[in-house]
Coordinates of all heavy atoms in Angstrom, one line a residue:
M765 N 40.1 76.6 42.0 CA 41.1 77.7 42.4 C 42.5 77.2 42.2 O 42.9 76.1 42.6 CB 40.8 77.9 43.9 CG 41.7 79.0 44.6 SD 41.1 80.7 44.4 CE 40.0 80.9 45.7
P766 N 43.3 78.0 41.5 CA 44.7 77.7 41.3 C 45.5 77.6 42.6 O 45.1 78.3 43.5 CB 45.2 78.8 40.4 CG 44.2 79.8 40.3 CD 42.9 79.3 40.9
K767 N 46.4 76.7 42.6 CA 47.2 76.5 43.8 C 48.7 76.7 43.6 O 49.2 76.1 42.6 CB 47.0 75.1 44.3 CG 45.9 74.9 45.3 CD 46.0 73.4 45.7 CE 44.6 72.9 46.2 NZ 44.0 73.6 47.2
L768 N 49.4 77.3 44.5 CA 50.8 77.3 44.5 C 51.3 76.1 45.3 O 50.8 75.9 46.4 CB 51.4 78.6 45.1 CG 51.7 79.8 44.2 CD1 52.2 80.9 45.0 CD2 52.8 79.4 43.1
I769 N 52.3 75.4 44.9 CA 52.8 74.3 45.6 C 54.3 74.5 45.8 O 55.0 74.8 44.9 CB 52.7 73.0 44.9 CG1 51.3 72.8 44.2 CG2 53.0 71.8 45.8 CD1 50.2 72.4 45.0
H770 N 54.8 74.4 47.1 CA 56.2 74.6 47.4 C 56.8 73.4 48.0 O 56.4 73.0 49.1 CB 56.3 75.8 48.3 CG 57.7 76.3 48.5 ND1 58.1 76.8 49.7 CD2 58.8 76.2 47.8 CE1 59.4 77.1 49.6 NE2 59.9 76.7 48.5
Y771 N 57.7 72.8 47.3 CA 58.5 71.6 47.8 C 59.7 72.2 48.6 O 60.8 72.3 48.1 CB 58.9 70.7 46.7 CG 57.7 70.1 46.0 CD1 57.1 70.8 44.9 CD2 57.2 68.9 46.4 CE1 56.0 70.3 44.3 CE2 56.0 68.4 45.8 CZ 55.5 69.1 44.7 OH 54.4 68.6 44.1
R772 N 59.4 72.6 49.8 CA 60.3 73.5 50.6 C 61.6 72.9 50.9 O 62.6 73.6 50.9 CB 59.6 73.9 51.9 CG 60.3 75.0 52.6 CD 59.5 75.6 53.7 NE 60.2 76.8 54.2 CZ 61.1 76.8 55.1 NH1 61.5 75.6 55.7 NH2 61.7 77.9 55.5
E773 N 61.6 71.6 51.2 CA 62.8 70.9 51.6 C 64.0 71.2 50.6 O 65.1 71.3 51.0 CB 62.6 69.4 51.7 CG 63.4 68.7 52.7 CD 62.8 67.4 53.1 OE1 61.8 67.4 53.8 OE2 63.3 66.4 52.5
R774 N 63.6 71.2 49.3 CA 64.7 71.3 48.3 C 65.0 72.7 47.9 O 65.7 73.0 46.9 CB 64.3 70.5 47.0 CG 64.3 69.0 47.3 CD 64.1 68.2 46.1 NE 62.6 68.1 45.7 CZ 62.1 68.4 44.5 NH1 62.9 68.9 43.6 NH2 60.9 68.3 44.3
C775 N 64.4 73.7 48.5 CA 64.6 75.1 48.3 C 66.1 75.4 48.6 O 66.6 75.0 49.7 CB 63.7 76.0 49.1 SG 64.1 77.7 49.2
I776 N 66.8 76.2 47.8 CA 68.2 76.5 48.1 C 68.3 78.0 48.5 O 69.4 78.5 48.7 CB 69.1 76.3 46.8 CG1 68.6 77.1 45.6 CG2 69.2 74.8 46.5 CD1 69.6 77.1 44.4
G777 N 67.2 78.6 48.8 CA 67.2 80.0 49.3 C 67.8 81.0 48.4 O 68.5 82.0 48.9
C778 N 67.6 81.0 47.1 CA 68.2 81.9 46.2 C 67.5 83.3 46.2 O 68.0 84.2 45.7 CB 68.1 81.3 44.8 SG 66.5 81.4 44.1
N779 N 66.3 83.4 46.8 CA 65.6 84.6 46.9 C 64.8 85.1 45.7 O 64.2 86.2 45.7 CB 66.6 85.7 47.4 CG 65.9 86.8 48.2 OD1 65.1 86.6 49.1 ND2 66.1 88.1 47.8
A780 N 64.9 84.4 44.6 CA 64.2 84.8 43.4 C 62.7 85.0 43.6 O 62.1 86.0 43.1 CB 64.5 83.8 42.2
C781 N 62.1 84.0 44.2 CA 60.6 84.1 44.4 C 60.2 85.3 45.2 O 59.2 86.0 44.9 CB 60.1 82.8 45.1 SG 61.0 82.4 46.6
V782 N 61.0 85.7 46.2 CA 60.7 86.8 47.1 C 60.9 88.1 46.3 O 60.0 89.0 46.4 CB 61.7 86.9 48.3 CG1 61.4 88.1 49.1 CG2 61.6 85.6 49.1
E783 N 61.9 88.2 45.4 CA 62.1 89.4 44.6 C 60.9 89.6 43.6 O 60.5 90.7 43.4 CB 63.4 89.3 43.8 CG 64.6 89.6 44.7 CD 65.9 89.4 44.0 OE1 66.0 89.5 42.8 OE2 66.9 89.1 44.7
I784 N 60.4 88.5 43.1 CA 59.4 88.7 42.1 C 58.0 88.9 42.7 O 57.2 89.6 42.2 CB 59.3 87.4 41.1 CG1 60.6 87.3 40.4 CG2 58.1 87.4 40.2 CD1 60.8 86.0 39.6
D785 N 57.7 88.1 43.8 CA 56.4 88.1 44.3 C 56.4 88.3 45.8 O 56.2 87.3 46.6 CB 55.7 86.8 43.9 CG 54.2 86.8 44.3 OD1 53.7 87.8 44.8 OD2 53.6 85.8 44.1
Y786 N 56.6 89.5 46.3 CA 56.7 89.8 47.7 C 55.4 89.6 48.4 O 55.3 89.5 49.6 CB 57.2 91.2 47.9 CG 57.8 91.5 49.3 CD1 58.9 90.8 49.7 CD2 57.2 92.3 50.2 CE1 59.4 91.0 51.0 CE2 57.7 92.6 51.4 CZ 58.8 91.9 51.8 OH 59.3 92.2 53.1
D787 N 54.3 89.5 47.7 CA 53.0 89.2 48.3 C 52.9 87.8 48.8 O 52.1 87.5 49.8 CB 51.8 89.4 47.3 CG 51.6 90.9 47.0 OD1 52.1 91.8 47.8 OD2 50.9 91.2 46.0
H788 N 53.6 86.9 48.2 CA 53.4 85.5 48.6 C 54.7 84.8 49.2 O 54.6 83.7 49.7 CB 53.1 84.7 47.3 CG 51.7 84.9 46.8 ND1 51.4 85.4 45.6 CD2 50.5 84.7 47.5 CE1 50.1 85.5 45.4 NE2 49.5 85.1 46.6
W789 N 55.8 85.5 49.1 CA 57.1 84.8 49.5 C 57.9 85.7 50.4 O 58.0 86.9 50.2 CB 57.9 84.4 48.3 CG 57.2 83.5 47.4 CD1 56.5 83.9 46.3 CD2 57.1 82.1 47.5 NE1 56.0 82.7 45.7 CE2 56.3 81.7 46.4 CE3 57.6 81.2 48.4 CZ2 56.1 80.3 46.2 CZ3 57.4 79.8 48.2 CH2 56.6 79.4 47.1
R790 N 58.5 85.0 51.4 CA 59.5 85.7 52.3 C 60.7 84.7 52.5 O 60.4 83.5 52.4 CB 58.9 86.0 53.7 CG 57.9 87.1 53.7 CD 58.5 88.5 53.4 NE 57.5 89.5 53.7 CZ 56.4 89.8 53.0 NH1 56.3 89.2 51.8 NH2 55.6 90.7 53.4
M791 N 61.8 85.2 52.9 CA 62.9 84.2 53.3 C 62.8 84.0 54.8 O 62.5 84.9 55.6 CB 64.3 84.8 53.0 CG 64.5 85.0 51.5 SD 64.3 83.5 50.6 CE 65.5 82.4 51.3
S792 N 63.1 82.8 55.2 CA 63.1 82.5 56.7 C 64.5 82.8 57.2 O 65.5 82.4 56.6 CB 62.8 81.0 56.9 OG 63.2 80.6 58.2
R793 N 64.5 83.5 58.3 CA 65.8 83.8 58.9 C 66.3 82.5 59.7 O 67.5 82.4 60.0 CB 65.7 84.9 59.9 CG 65.6 86.2 59.2 CD 65.8 87.4 60.2 NE 65.1 88.5 59.7 CZ 64.8 89.6 60.4 NH1 65.0 89.7 61.7 NH2 64.2 90.6 59.8
K794 N 65.4 81.7 60.0 CA 65.8 80.5 60.7 C 66.6 79.5 59.9 O 67.7 79.1 60.3 CB 64.6 79.7 61.2 CG 64.1 80.2 62.5 CD 63.1 79.2 63.0 CE 62.2 79.8 64.2 NZ 60.9 79.1 64.3
D795 N 66.1 79.2 58.7 CA 66.8 78.1 57.9 C 67.2 78.6 56.5 O 67.8 77.8 55.7 CB 66.0 76.8 57.9 CG 64.7 77.0 57.1 OD1 64.4 78.1 56.6 OD2 63.9 76.0 57.1
G796 N 67.0 79.9 56.2 CA 67.4 80.4 54.9 C 66.7 79.9 53.7 O 67.1 80.0 52.6
K797 N 65.5 79.3 53.9 CA 64.7 78.8 52.8 C 63.5 79.8 52.7 O 63.1 80.5 53.6 CB 64.2 77.4 53.1 CG 65.3 76.4 53.1 CD 64.7 75.0 53.4 CE 65.8 74.0 53.6 NZ 66.2 73.3 52.4
A798 N 62.9 79.7 51.5 CA 61.7 80.6 51.3 C 60.5 80.0 52.0 O 60.4 78.8 52.3 CB 61.4 80.6 49.8
V799 N 59.6 81.0 52.4 CA 58.4 80.6 53.1 C 57.2 81.1 52.2 O 57.2 82.3 51.7 CB 58.3 81.3 54.4 CG1 56.9 81.1 55.0 CG2 59.4 80.9 55.3
L800 N 56.3 80.2 51.9 CA 55.1 80.6 51.1 C 54.1 81.1 52.2 O 53.6 80.3 53.0 CB 54.5 79.3 50.4 CG 53.2 79.5 49.7 CD1 53.3 80.6 48.6 CD2 52.8 78.2 49.0
I801 N 53.8 82.4 52.1 CA 53.0 83.0 53.2 C 51.6 82.5 53.2 O 50.9 82.5 52.2 CB 53.0 84.6 53.0 CG1 54.4 85.1 53.1 CG2 52.1 85.2 54.0 CD1 54.5 86.5 52.5
G802 N 51.2 82.0 54.3 CA 49.8 81.4 54.5 C 49.7 80.0 54.0 O 48.6 79.5 53.9
G803 N 50.8 79.5 53.5 CA 50.8 78.1 52.9 C 50.4 77.0 54.0 O 50.8 77.1 55.1
I804 N 49.6 76.1 53.6 CA 49.2 75.0 54.5 C 50.2 73.8 54.2 O 50.4 73.4 53.1 CB 47.8 74.5 54.2 CG1 46.8 75.6 54.1 CG2 47.4 73.4 55.1 CD1 46.4 76.2 55.5
E805 N 50.8 73.3 55.3 CA 51.8 72.2 55.1 C 51.2 70.8 55.2 O 50.3 70.6 56.0 CB 52.8 72.4 56.2 CG 54.1 71.6 55.9 CD 54.4 70.6 57.0 OE1 54.0 70.7 58.2 OE2 55.1 69.6 56.7
K806 N 51.7 70.0 54.3 CA 51.3 68.6 54.4 C 52.5 67.8 54.0 O 53.0 67.9 52.9 CB 50.2 68.3 53.4 CG 49.2 67.2 53.8 CD 48.1 67.1 52.8 CE 47.1 66.1 53.3 NZ 46.0 65.9 52.2
K807 N 53.1 67.1 54.9 CA 54.3 66.3 54.7 C 55.4 67.1 54.1 O 56.1 66.6 53.1 CB 54.0 65.1 53.8 CG 53.1 64.1 54.5 CD 52.8 62.9 53.7 CE 51.8 61.9 54.3 NZ 51.3 60.9 53.4
G808 N 55.7 68.3 54.6 CA 56.8 69.1 54.1 C 56.5 69.9 52.8 O 57.4 70.6 52.4
V809 N 55.3 69.7 52.2 CA 55.0 70.4 51.0 C 53.9 71.4 51.4 O 52.9 71.1 52.1 CB 54.4 69.4 49.9 CG1 54.0 70.2 48.7 CG2 55.4 68.4 49.6
F810 N 54.1 72.7 51.0 CA 53.2 73.8 51.3 C 52.3 74.1 50.1 O 52.8 74.2 49.0 CB 54.0 75.0 51.8 CG 54.7 74.8 53.1 CD1 55.8 74.0 53.2 CD2 54.2 75.4 54.2 CE1 56.4 73.8 54.4 CE2 54.8 75.2 55.5 CZ 55.9 74.4 55.5
Q811 N 51.0 74.4 50.4 CA 50.1 74.7 49.4 C 49.3 76.0 49.7 O 49.0 76.2 50.9 CB 49.0 73.6 49.2 CG 49.6 72.3 48.7 CD 48.4 71.4 48.2 OE1 47.3 71.8 48.2 NE2 48.8 70.2 47.9
L812 N 49.0 76.8 48.7 CA 48.2 78.0 48.9 C 47.3 78.2 47.7 O 47.8 78.2 46.6 CB 49.2 79.2 49.1 CG 48.5 80.5 49.3 CD1 47.9 80.6 50.8 CD2 49.5 81.6 49.1
D813 N 46.0 78.5 48.0 CA 45.1 78.9 46.9 C 45.5 80.3 46.5 O 45.8 81.2 47.4 CB 43.7 79.0 47.4 CG 43.1 77.6 47.6 OD1 43.7 76.6 47.1 OD2 42.1 77.5 48.4
V814 N 45.6 80.6 45.2 CA 45.9 81.9 44.7 C 44.8 82.5 43.9 O 44.1 81.8 43.2 CB 47.3 82.0 43.9 CG1 48.4 81.7 44.8 CG2 47.3 81.0 42.8
R815 N 44.7 83.8 43.9 CA 43.6 84.4 43.2 C 43.9 84.4 41.7 O 45.1 84.5 41.3 CB 43.4 85.9 43.6 CG 43.0 86.0 45.1 CD 43.0 87.5 45.5 NE 44.2 88.2 45.2 CZ 44.4 89.5 45.3 NH1 43.4 90.2 45.7 NH2 45.6 90.0 45.1
P816 N 42.9 84.3 40.8 CA 43.2 84.2 39.4 C 44.0 85.4 38.9 O 44.8 85.3 38.0 CB 41.8 84.2 38.8 CG 40.9 83.7 39.9 CD 41.5 84.1 41.2
E817 N 43.8 86.6 39.5 CA 44.5 87.8 39.0 C 46.0 87.7 39.4 O 46.8 88.5 38.9 CB 43.9 89.1 39.5 CG 43.7 89.2 41.0 CD 42.4 88.7 41.5 OE1 41.9 87.7 41.1 OE2 41.8 89.4 42.4
D818 N 46.4 86.8 40.3 CA 47.8 86.7 40.7 C 48.6 85.6 39.9 O 49.7 85.4 40.1 CB 47.9 86.3 42.2 CG 47.4 87.4 43.1 OD1 47.4 88.6 42.6 OD2 47.1 87.2 44.2
I819 N 47.9 84.9 39.0 CA 48.5 83.8 38.3 C 49.7 84.2 37.5 O 50.7 83.5 37.5 CB 47.4 83.1 37.4 CG1 46.5 82.3 38.3 CG2 48.1 82.2 36.4 CD1 45.5 81.5 37.5
E820 N 49.6 85.3 36.8 CA 50.7 85.7 35.9 C 52.0 85.8 36.7 O 53.1 85.4 36.3 CB 50.4 86.9 35.1 CG 49.5 86.7 33.9 CD 49.9 85.5 33.0 OE1 51.1 85.5 32.7 OE2 49.1 84.7 32.7
T821 N 51.9 86.5 37.9 CA 53.1 86.6 38.7 C 53.5 85.3 39.2 O 54.8 85.0 39.3 CB 52.7 87.5 39.9 OG1 52.1 88.7 39.4 CG2 54.0 88.0 40.7
C822 N 52.6 84.4 39.6 CA 53.0 83.1 40.1 C 53.7 82.3 39.0 O 54.7 81.6 39.3 CB 51.7 82.3 40.5 SG 51.0 83.0 42.0
K823 N 53.3 82.5 37.8 CA 54.0 81.8 36.7 C 55.4 82.2 36.5 O 56.3 81.4 36.3 CB 53.2 82.0 35.3 CG 52.0 81.2 35.2 CD 51.4 81.4 33.8 CE 50.1 80.7 33.6 NZ 49.4 81.2 32.4
Q824 N 55.6 83.5 36.7 CA 57.0 84.1 36.6 C 57.9 83.4 37.7 O 59.0 83.1 37.5 CB 57.0 85.6 36.8 CG 56.5 86.3 35.6 CD 56.4 87.8 35.9 OE1 57.2 88.3 36.7 NE2 55.5 88.5 35.4
V825 N 57.3 83.3 38.9 CA 58.0 82.7 40.0 C 58.4 81.2 39.7 O 59.5 80.8 40.0 CB 57.2 82.8 41.3 CG1 57.8 82.0 42.5 CG2 57.0 84.3 41.7
V826 N 57.4 80.5 39.2 CA 57.6 79.1 38.9 C 58.8 79.0 37.9 O 59.7 78.2 38.1 CB 56.4 78.5 38.2 CG1 56.7 77.1 37.6 CG2 55.3 78.4 39.3
K827 N 58.8 79.9 36.9 CA 59.9 79.9 35.9 C 61.2 80.2 36.5 O 62.3 79.7 36.1 CB 59.6 80.9 34.8 CG 59.0 80.3 33.6 CD 59.1 81.3 32.4 CE 58.0 81.0 31.5 NZ 57.7 82.2 30.6
A828 N 61.2 81.2 37.5 CA 62.5 81.7 38.0 C 63.1 80.8 39.0 O 64.3 80.9 39.2 CB 62.2 83.1 38.7
C829 N 62.4 79.9 39.6 CA 63.0 79.1 40.6 C 64.0 78.1 40.0 O 63.7 77.3 39.1 CB 61.9 78.2 41.3 SG 62.6 77.1 42.6
P830 N 65.3 78.2 40.4 CA 66.4 77.5 39.7 C 66.3 76.0 39.9 O 66.9 75.2 39.1 CB 67.7 78.1 40.2 CG 67.3 78.7 41.5 CD 65.9 79.1 41.4
V831 N 65.7 75.6 41.0 CA 65.6 74.2 41.3 C 64.2 73.6 41.2 O 64.0 72.5 41.6 CB 66.2 73.9 42.8 CG1 67.7 74.0 42.8 CG2 65.6 74.8 43.8
R832 N 63.4 74.4 40.6 CA 62.0 73.9 40.2 C 61.2 73.3 41.4 O 60.6 72.3 41.2 CB 62.1 72.9 39.1 CG 62.8 73.4 37.8 CD 61.8 74.0 36.9 NE 62.4 74.5 35.7 CZ 62.5 75.8 35.3 NH1 61.9 76.7 36.1 NH2 63.0 76.1 34.2
V833 N 61.2 74.0 42.5 CA 60.5 73.5 43.7 C 59.2 74.2 43.9 O 58.5 74.0 44.9 CB 61.4 73.5 44.9 CG1 62.6 72.6 44.8 CG2 61.8 74.9 45.3
I834 N 58.8 75.1 42.9 CA 57.5 75.7 43.0 C 56.7 75.3 41.8 O 57.2 75.3 40.6 CB 57.7 77.3 43.0 CG1 58.6 77.7 44.1 CG2 56.3 77.9 43.1 CD1 59.0 79.2 44.0
K835 N 55.5 74.9 42.1 CA 54.6 74.5 41.0 C 53.3 75.3 41.1 O 52.9 75.7 42.2 CB 54.2 73.0 41.0 CG 55.4 72.1 41.1 CD 55.8 71.5 39.8 CE 56.9 70.5 39.9 NZ 58.2 71.0 39.4
L836 N 52.6 75.4 40.0 CA 51.3 76.0 39.9 C 50.3 75.0 39.4 O 50.5 74.5 38.3 CB 51.3 77.3 39.1 CG 50.1 78.2 39.0 CD1 49.8 78.8 40.4 CD2 50.4 79.3 38.0
E837 N 49.3 74.7 40.1 CA 48.3 73.7 39.7 C 47.0 74.3 39.4 O 46.6 75.3 40.1 CB 48.1 72.6 40.8 CG 49.2 71.6 40.7 CD 49.0 70.4 41.7 OE1 48.0 70.4 42.4 OE2 49.9 69.6 41.7
G838 N 46.2 73.8 38.5 CA 44.9 74.2 38.3 C 44.7 75.6 37.7 O 43.8 76.3 38.0
K839 N 45.7 75.9 36.8 CA 45.6 77.3 36.2 C 44.6 77.4 35.1 O 44.2 76.4 34.5 CB 47.0 77.7 35.6 CG 48.0 76.7 35.8 CD 49.3 76.9 35.0 CE 49.9 75.5 35.1 NZ 51.1 75.3 34.5
Ligands
SF4_1068 S1 63.1 80.7 43.9 FE1 63.0 78.5 44.5 S2 65.0 78.0 45.3 FE2 64.9 80.2 45.2 S3 64.2 80.8 47.3 FE3 62.4 80.6 46.0 S4 61.7 78.5 46.3 FE4 63.8 78.6 47.0

C-alpha cells in the first residue's frame, strides 16, 4: 500500500497541499501547519496509507510542497 509521509515540523504552512488535495490535508488553526488527515504519528513524522487511485493527486502534492516535506513511498 502506498504511503504519504509528512515531516510536519518543517512545514511552513503555505497551504498548497490543502488546495490540491482537500481529501487528505487541512491547515491547523493552532500552529498554522498542515495536518495529514488520519495520519499516524511517529516521532513527529505522520504516515497514512493511500488508495492506489489517489496516487496521482498525492504526486501533485509532493511536487507542490515548496519545502519538500511530503513524500510518497511504495508507489
Ligand atoms: S505544501 Fe508543504 S509546506 Fe505547504 S502547507 Fe503543505 S506540507 Fe506545509
Side-chain angles (χ1 to χ4, degrees):
M765 180 82 84
K767 271 184 203 306
L768 267 178
I769 319 279
H770 187 210
Y771 297 87
R772 190 170 190 273
E773 212 163 279
R774 291 187 281 125
C775 169
I776 58 169
C778 76
N779 206 49
C781 51
V782 179
E783 280 174 29
I784 295 169
D785 187 5
Y786 197 67
D787 286 345
H788 288 121
W789 300 95
R790 292 289 194 283
M791 293 307 297
S792 164
R793 283 192 204 164
K794 271 194 198 156
D795 63 7
K797 293 177 189 273
V799 174
L800 177 58
I801 298 165
I804 309 284
E805 195 239 336
K806 215 177 182 182
K807 295 182 183 167
V809 180
F810 290 76
Q811 291 197 7
L812 179 76
D813 289 340
V814 290
R815 297 177 306 173
E817 57 264 44
D818 291 338
I819 284 184
E820 282 312 311
T821 312
C822 292
K823 280 184 185 170
Q824 286 178 32
V825 171
V826 169
K827 262 197 207 161
C829 178
V831 287
R832 303 268 181 245
V833 296
I834 304 170
K835 308 263 185 251
L836 187 62
E837 278 183 5
K839 355 165 202 182

